[in-house]
Amino acid sequence: MKHSLPNKNNVELSWHGQEVEAMSKLCDLQIHINDEETFFLYESLISRYCGKLKKMLNGEKGRFYINDFPRGPYGFELVLKFCYNNGKIFINASNVLILHTCALYLEMTEEIFSNNLLQQTQTFLDEIYNWKWNEIIVSLKSCDCEIFYSYANSYNFLEKVICVLIAKLVKNSDFNFIASSSLPPLSSSKSNFAKRNSFSTKISPKIIVSDWAEIQLRSTIKSNIPNKAWWFEDLATLPPKIIEMFLKGIGAYKSDNKNVIVTRFLLYYMKKITSISCKSNSEYASLGETASYGVINVGDKNFSCRGLFCVLRIVSKFGISNDCRKKMEKLIGGMLEKATLDDLLVCGHDMGLYYDVSFVIRLIKLFVDINGNDVMKMKKVGGLIDKYLIEISPDQKLKISKFLEVAECLPDFARDCFDGVYRAIDMYLESHPMIAFEESSRLCRCLNYNKLTFEVCKDLAKNPKIPPRIAMQALISQQINIPISCEFTNDESKTMISPSQINLCYQDNNDNFLEEKEDMSINLEKMQWRVRELEKLCKEMKVQMSKFTGHNV
């Protein structure tokens, strides 16, 4: 704990140990501020300016505690400088809000002392419409303390500064979006301020922006920054509570936010916060929801699919509501065919998995609900999900049920070929060597054997990790795909296709027989070659089955 002893020459001294005890004898009053710092004071001097302390002390001396002082020890030190300097202190944009709040708290009014601190700060604040842009930003930055913000907001003068901030933005032609029907006229805001006792009512209704040339210059300097307005960087230095007041002032708070520029600012603001600290912060949750609703309200008109994934990653760090998340996911799910594999690889802790698989499952289901009749989009997502399955299959904590849920979210017609699904299954079995044959059979239920290419089917039949019963089913499906009936023998050279079947096929087209005979001969050769390949696979299957006689087939 720091111990301070202001003296009559306005020099602050800090003491420790025995020096504190010795020097405290020079003063007749000790005040502990917010359990952070102790001040040794002259009771007569402090009571001269502070009405609240005068009533609290009532001529007594000793030790007193104040646990809710605005801006803590720093604010109290500013007040002491005023008191120990015969009621004078340099007031500027960076300290006026703090001094004004402290003066209100300590009742430093004209009834106690002429031209007291409250009157001086009010006089300074009456000129707020003549402040420069930087002065407004500096004054609002001083509200970063939660206790101070609560007092400043309850005294109703923060909104006056916010009002001036908005007025300066409105004056710029780039910010006509603020002057909407949802925004109350600034004149009404000023009249409300005039009714309050916190400020003098002698405020000119005319807004004077003396530094507009400066603003235009700043806009020109920062015009080379893509997709970002010049004021982004300045407002990004303000506390979240101040940003909330700004959003409410322009009618763009939470679900009312329908403005793209405001939304982009909030995303810039939160991205800057996360770059400083990766920890979630609940005080930014309302800003995250406001940004989310801004994206939801404009739909996919101003944000790409990848941009939506990026937005969701940013706002999720600040704890948005379930309703807001569902709407964001529905927006992304509706355009999932535009996503890439990198977009889907969202890190998460879903059941201990490296990737958030449940999130992707929700997106797929939303996509099917919205685009279930669009075959082209469905097939595009089918290829994307096959790649996703291959990517997540090595995860040791990925259960078969979760794998199947991803694979089976899409209907069968979303895939012309199931080769990608088989490769994902093969990789899963390779990464999970202890899996039982029964579980392997369960894993293969998501395969459509009729949509496997012949080469993949051969690989499946030879795969020792695939149960023989599954391999046989796959081979049978390939045999069914052959349009001409075949007779299998043990001798490959004796494989035959009946000529009578050929004659039967052409008995009603005798005039065209000679012309098509050559084409039929070529087709027969192809079919006979495929039959011979299947016979080879059947022989290999017998060998495979003999190896697994110990398993239930």
Side-chain angles (χ1 to χ4, degrees):
M1 180 182 291
K2 179 182 176 183
H3 302 269
S4 299
L5 174 65
N7 57 30
K8 294 183 179 180
N9 294 323
N10 197 31
V11 178
E12 181 185 324
L13 304 176
S14 297
W15 310 92
H16 301 278
Q18 295 179 349
E19 293 177 333
V20 172
E21 183 179 355
M23 297 305 299
S24 63
K25 295 178 181 179
L26 300 176
C27 302
D28 52 15
L29 179 65
Q30 296 181 32
I31 296 182
H32 301 264
I33 300 296
N34 297 3
D35 290 329
E36 296 179 32
E37 192 168 338
T38 301
F39 293 87
F40 299 94
L41 311 168
Y42 297 100
E43 185 272 339
S44 58
L45 189 60
I46 198 71
S47 299
R48 182 183 180 189
Y49 299 95
C50 304
K52 185 172 184 176
L53 286 179
K54 185 176 182 180
K55 288 185 289 186
M56 182 178 73
L57 300 176
N58 196 22
E60 295 183 9
K61 303 190 175 43
R63 182 178 301 176
F64 295 87
Y65 295 86
I66 299 177
N67 296 320
D68 59 347
F69 194 80
R71 207 57 169 82
Y74 175 71
F76 196 72
E77 284 182 7
L78 289 178
V79 171
L80 292 182
K81 287 181 180 180
F82 174 83
C83 297
Y84 278 81
N85 196 33
N86 298 320
K88 297 178 183 179
I89 191 172
F90 178 70
I91 301 176
N92 55 34
S94 64
N95 66 18
V96 64
L97 297 184
I98 300 174
L99 287 171
H100 189 75
T101 305
C102 294
L104 284 167
Y105 180 89
L106 294 173
E107 299 176 8
M108 302 175 73
T109 61
E110 296 301 290
E111 289 78 7
I112 302 298
F113 188 83
S114 178
N115 197 27
N116 209 342
L117 183 59
L118 185 59
Q119 178 61 46
Q120 293 186 34
T121 54
Q122 283 181 338
T123 302
F124 191 90
L125 287 169
D126 284 348
E127 300 297 320
I128 190 171
Y129 293 113
N130 293 321
W131 286 12
K132 292 184 178 181
W133 171 262
N134 284 343
E135 290 177 323
I136 296 174
I137 298 297
V138 168
S139 65
L140 292 173
K141 285 173 68 174
S142 66
C143 302
D144 58 348
C145 175
E146 183 66 28
I147 297 178
F148 171 70
Y149 170 81
S150 299
Y151 277 108
N153 194 34
S154 63
Y155 291 143
N156 296 314
F157 60 82
L158 265 184
E159 63 181 61
K160 181 176 182 179
V161 185
I162 298 293
C163 181
V164 177
L165 177 75
I166 295 173
K168 286 183 179 287
L169 287 175
V170 170
K171 289 285 289 184
N172 191 322
S173 59
D174 293 337
F175 301 98
N176 288 332
F177 69 89
I178 297 177
S180 63
S181 58
S182 61
L183 177 64
L186 291 176
S187 59
S188 65
S189 298
K190 286 181 287 182
S191 63
N192 289 336
F193 281 116
K195 295 176 183 178
R196 296 189 176 102
N197 296 325
S198 300
F199 289 102
S200 168
T201 57
K202 299 177 181 180
I203 300 177
S204 173
K206 182 179 180 181
I207 299 177
I208 302 173
V209 185
S210 61
D211 61 326
W212 203 248
E214 174 196 351
I215 292 178
Q216 290 179 330
L217 177 61
R218 291 163 66 87
S219 179
T220 303
I221 293 173
K222 299 184 180 183
S223 61
N224 60 339
I225 303 177
N227 300 322
K228 191 172 68 173
W230 59 266
W231 49 274
F232 278 24
E233 291 184 20
D234 293 332
L235 264 63
T237 62
L238 300 179
K241 294 288 187 181
I242 300 299
I243 301 299
E244 281 187 28
M245 292 188 68
F246 168 73
L247 295 173
K248 292 175 181 177
I250 61 175
Y253 185 64
K254 289 196 174 180
S255 59
D256 292 330
N257 179 25
K258 298 177 176 63
N259 191 274
V260 179
I261 297 179
V262 172
T263 301
R264 292 193 183 278
F265 161 70
L266 288 174
L267 294 173
Y268 172 80
Y269 182 79
M270 289 183 291
K271 190 174 182 180
K272 186 173 182 179
I273 295 299
T274 54
S275 66
I276 299 174
S277 174
C278 296
K279 296 182 179 179
S280 299
N281 199 325
S282 58
E283 64 181 326
Y284 295 92
S286 61
L287 301 183
E289 285 204 23
T290 303
S292 300
Y293 279 115
V295 175
I296 293 166
N297 290 330
V298 300
D300 57 352
K301 297 177 182 178
N302 294 279
F303 292 89
S304 64
C305 185
R306 170 156 289 189
L308 291 175
F309 274 102
C310 182
V311 169
L312 189 57
R313 278 195 294 269
I314 293 174
V315 299
S316 294
K317 297 179 180 179
F318 299 96
I320 59 175
S321 66
N322 289 332
D323 180 66
C324 193
R325 172 176 284 278
K326 287 178 181 178
K327 290 179 179 179
M328 281 288 294
E329 290 182 358
K330 185 176 181 180
L331 191 61
I332 297 173
M335 60 169 75
L336 193 60
E337 79 280 0
K338 298 178 182 179
T340 65
L341 179 60
D342 288 339
D343 295 331
L344 298 184
L345 298 178
V346 178
C347 292
H349 301 285
D350 174 38
M351 300 175 65
L353 298 174
Y354 186 76
Y355 295 116
D356 194 345
V357 179
S358 293
F359 167 65
V360 175
I361 292 172
R362 293 196 300 270
L363 293 183
I364 300 172
K365 291 180 177 179
L366 288 167
F367 173 79
V368 174
D369 289 341
I370 298 171
N371 302 285
N373 297 324
D374 193 322
V375 178
M376 291 187 64
K377 287 184 178 181
M378 295 291 285
K379 289 183 177 181
K380 192 168 183 179
V381 171
L384 175 64
I385 298 306
D386 289 354
K387 294 177 183 177
Y388 180 74
L389 283 169
I390 293 172
E391 186 70 28
I392 66 173
S393 58
D395 192 336
Q396 293 296 307
K397 294 185 179 180
L398 179 65
K399 296 182 179 179
I400 290 178
S401 58
K402 213 69 173 175
F403 182 99
L404 290 173
E405 194 173 359
V406 177
E408 295 175 344
C409 279
L410 292 171
D412 187 77
F413 72 85
R415 296 181 175 93
D416 289 329
C417 180
F418 273 70
D419 288 5
V421 180
Y422 168 71
R423 292 191 181 95
I425 292 174
D426 183 41
M427 188 171 293
Y428 185 92
L429 294 173
E430 186 73 31
S431 304
H432 301 75
M434 303 305 294
I435 190 172
F437 259 40
E438 292 79 5
E439 291 295 291
S440 299
S441 299
R442 179 172 164 237
L443 185 65
C444 292
R445 82 180 188 192
C446 61
L447 284 174
N448 184 338
Y449 306 123
N450 293 322
K451 289 187 177 182
L452 291 174
T453 61
F454 188 65
E455 290 301 320
V456 168
C457 192
K458 284 170 56 179
D459 184 75
L460 184 149
K462 297 176 182 178
N463 193 336
K465 299 182 291 295
I466 300 292
R469 177 171 57 84
I470 299 297
M472 182 62 73
Q473 290 176 359
L475 289 174
I476 292 173
S477 69
Q478 291 293 312
Q479 179 179 344
I480 293 174
N481 285 338
I482 300 175
I484 300 177
S485 60
C486 305
E487 298 177 1
F488 291 90
T489 64
N490 291 332
D491 190 349
E492 296 178 20
S493 63
K494 293 181 180 180
T495 302
M496 297 179 64
I497 298 176
S498 174
S500 63
Q501 293 178 337
I502 301 174
N503 293 330
L504 182 63
C505 292
Y506 289 92
Q507 62 184 358
D508 296 328
N509 301 292
N510 292 328
D511 294 338
N512 299 324
F513 181 77
L514 294 175
E515 182 179 347
E516 297 179 353
K517 185 177 180 180
E518 184 177 354
D519 291 339
M520 177 53 68
S521 177
I522 295 173
N523 287 334
L524 282 173
E525 290 179 4
K526 290 181 178 179
M527 292 302 162
Q528 288 172 342
W529 173 83
R530 193 168 186 183
V531 168
R532 286 194 293 270
E533 287 294 321
L534 284 172
E535 286 180 343
K536 290 180 182 179
L537 286 175
C538 286
K539 290 180 179 180
E540 292 176 1
M541 280 301 305
K542 290 181 181 180
V543 176
Q544 293 287 343
M545 292 173 68
S546 65
K547 292 181 179 180
F548 295 104
T549 54
H551 298 279
N552 294 325
V553 179

